[in-house]
Amino acid sequence: QVQLVESGGGLVQSGGSLRLSCTTSGFILDDYTIGWFRQAPGKEREGVSCISISDGSTYYADSVKGRLTISRDNAKNTVYLQMNSLTPEDTAVYYCARAPYGSLLDDTARYHWWGQGTQVTVSS
């Protein structure tokens, strides 16, 4: 059974950091791309980063470049999103999702499996 479970969200002050985890099971992580998305209240879902597990290639949305880092630990079947220099504009529910290997962040239709999300709240 394919599962993606996010964790690591919480409340943090502006300028602070959080590390989100996406723990996966039920499939071979190397065969896929894992993306991180976020959705703030009243806003459309936004892709922030993705990683193609096999070769480690990464992509970041312009809004998060230089502040967020995506990585993976194949032994733990887990993908991480390190978030630094957080601002209130980063407040959202963050989701991880699975897509076929080589998928881009904009290929949202290819992300078929999603986690339940983890709330990130940044106070000013």
Side-chain angles (χ1 to χ4, degrees):
Q1 181 181 359
V2 174
Q3 283 192 316
L4 297 93
V5 180
E6 303 93 339
S7 61
L11 174 64
V12 64
Q13 289 188 332
S14 185
S17 298
L18 283 174
R19 188 179 78 160
L20 306 184
S21 299
C22 174
T23 303
T24 70
S25 60
F27 62 97
I28 300 172
L29 196 55
D30 270 3
D31 294 342
Y32 293 92
T33 288
I34 301 296
W36 281 99
F37 298 80
R38 66 186 181 185
Q39 189 164 22
K43 294 187 177 181
E44 292 187 355
R45 185 179 59 199
E46 173 190 19
V48 295
S49 183
C50 66
I51 182 168
S52 289
I53 301 298
S54 181
D55 65 6
S57 59
T58 59
Y59 176 82
Y60 298 93
D62 288 342
S63 59
V64 303
K65 279 181 181 176
R67 300 190 300 117
L68 272 58
T69 303
I70 192 170
S71 63
R72 88 284 197 200
D73 184 332
N74 290 46
K76 296 183 178 180
N77 292 321
T78 298
V79 174
Y80 301 101
L81 187 68
Q82 178 67 42
M83 305 192 297
N84 299 326
S85 302
L86 288 165
T87 73
E89 287 67 39
D90 295 312
T91 295
V93 178
Y94 284 71
Y95 301 89
C96 62
R98 187 192 84 169
Y101 178 80
S103 298
L104 303 177
L105 203 56
D106 291 342
D107 295 335
T108 53
R110 304 189 79 191
Y111 288 87
H112 294 300
W113 289 96
W114 294 77
Q116 82 290 347
T118 186
Q119 176 71 47
V120 171
T121 303
V122 184
S123 63
S124 57

